[in-house]
DNA sequence: GGCGTGAACTTGTCAATGGAAAGATATGAT
DNA sequence: ATCATATCTTTCCATTGACAAGTTCACGCC
């Protein structure tokens, strides 16, 4: 509730995070500037400090939000491991700013309270998908190894896609390409 | 070949790159400062500009060196795909500074001439390993898909390892853990 | 030997940034 | 109405990247 143009912005925290997402999507996390965010929000350059303390505080909030969104996306994808893997890649593509920050621990305080909790939940969502694999497969006695392999392959595909390192031949539909790749790790009976 | 303390440093370029590697390994690419590198090398704050133009020039040089080292490491690993995958992860762990910069195109000029060439060679080394897979496997008709899956899984594992996101249960030997993960993608006959 | 050309490096400077300190203003509870 | 607090502003400082102009050195050439 605000929109009022007064001394108080009213929604600064959310506006700053949204602006940060836009900047990172356009130019990467290295180009992020608190003063630039403040300018975009129409407030003084010191206003962000009140909400986030410092730059790493803002990125901590962004990473926390990212882990929450990731956990949501994984749950929404249903119980199938293949679908969850595709959802992981889809999250990275749809929220590339969050994703890029989440796995750069040098940019934020990775021991922050809320962040640790959110990451835990996302990790649980990731692992519980492996439990739904068929029982008869060869590696059924080591579900944690399966989980690590699944995480590696979707995370690697997502990272390579975002970095632009993949050849054009892969196409322009990350979810379809990801599905094909994951399928090689867990072939369907 | 100098060591002389005169006006000319003599080996500044290499010394700056080495210092950059140390800084990035300790604190990540975000903490890199040209002035700090100059201080460590004992030269004036503007000396690095002569060799690299600007900061992204230095990181371009670092990424190029990284792709060269990666191509070397892959070739040295022999023709077996499993060994090459392990070598990829080993490179990422042993040269984490190079690796972290290589896949951050926002940090350097990814259209630089020497860099494109070095990356091309590393990519070839990566793909030629897939050709050595046994003929009878189910996905033999799509070697490019196999290459993409292999690249994804080793790149993902390496990235997760470096970011510290993996649970301690994985152990402290990245090559052994990587071998196990890759083995799930390409089971041995 | 002297000379000049250019590479390597220094000094000086500027705008932008992150961060801290201290003041101003609005909000809401009592 | 009053006051405590959260929110935002203004002012200030050290650091950084980048640029310009000057200084020192190395080396080929006559």
């Amino acid at each position: 509730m605000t929109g009022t143009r007064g001394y108080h912005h009213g929604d600064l925290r959310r506006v700053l995070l949204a602006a940060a997402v836009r900047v990172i999507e356009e130019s990467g996390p290295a180009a992020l500037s608190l003063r630039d965010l403040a300018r975009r929000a129409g407030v003084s350059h010191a206003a962000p400090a009140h909400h986030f303390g410092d730059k790493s505080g803002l990125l901590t909030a962004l990473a926390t939000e990212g882990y929450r969104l990731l956990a949501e996306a994984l749950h929404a994808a249903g119980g199938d491991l293949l679908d969850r893997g595709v959802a992981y890649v889809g999250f990275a593509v749809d929220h590339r700013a969050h994703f890029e920050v989440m796995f750069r621990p040098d940019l934020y305080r990775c021991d922050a309270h809320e962040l640790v909790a959110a990451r835990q939940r996302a990790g649980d969502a990731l692992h519980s998908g492996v439990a739904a694999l068929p029982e008869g497969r060869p590696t059924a006695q080591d579900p944690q190894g399966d989980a690590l392999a699944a995480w590696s392959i979707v995370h690697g595909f997502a990272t390579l896609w975002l970095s632009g390192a993949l050849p054009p031949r892969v196409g322009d539909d990350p979810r379809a390409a990801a599905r094909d790749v994951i399928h090689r790790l867990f072939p369907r009976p």
Side-chain angles (χ1 to χ4, degrees), chain A:
Chain A
M1 328 325 107
T2 58
T4 72
R5 293 274 150 188
Y7 193 92
H8 283 55
H9 184 285
D11 210 17
L12 226 204
R13 187 187 161 93
R14 203 161 310 183
V15 167
L16 288 175
L17 284 176
V21 167
R22 228 178 323 142
V23 171
I24 295 175
E25 280 176 353
E26 288 169 4
S27 321
L32 196 67
S33 146
L34 288 183
R35 289 170 115 99
D36 179 48
L37 295 184
R39 271 191 296 271
R40 290 171 186 243
V43 295
S44 82
H45 69 262
H50 178 74
H51 292 274
F52 302 104
D54 58 6
K55 194 173 185 176
S56 72
L58 186 142
L59 292 173
T60 303
L62 202 67
T64 304
E65 191 176 65
Y67 279 112
R68 288 209 190 102
L69 291 170
L70 175 59
E72 277 179 31
L74 292 179
H75 279 124
D80 185 71
L81 181 62
L82 191 54
D83 291 332
R84 287 210 177 177
V86 173
Y88 189 97
V89 173
F91 167 81
V93 173
D94 291 343
H95 303 87
R96 74 173 289 163
H98 290 93
F99 189 81
E100 286 187 29
V101 173
M102 286 158 65
F103 295 95
R104 309 275 315 281
D106 57 310
L107 292 182
Y108 61 90
R109 287 185 279 274
C110 41
D111 55 344
H113 208 268
E114 297 185 7
L115 182 130
V116 172
R119 180 171 45 196
Q120 178 69 41
R121 269 177 300 160
D124 290 346
L126 210 64
H127 279 78
S128 68
V130 175
L133 279 174
E135 285 292 329
R137 71 195 196 288
T139 59
Q141 73 284 358
D142 182 13
Q144 294 184 336
D146 277 339
L148 180 57
W151 192 11
S152 293
I153 206 166
V154 293
H155 187 79
F157 182 86
T159 305
L160 290 173
W161 181 277
L162 290 183
S163 76
L166 292 179
R169 153 174 45 76
V170 176
D172 57 351
D173 182 355
R175 288 167 221 262
R179 184 170 290 273
D180 180 74
V181 163
I182 304 167
H183 184 75
R184 286 162 198 266
L185 179 60
F186 296 116
R188 275 293 146 86

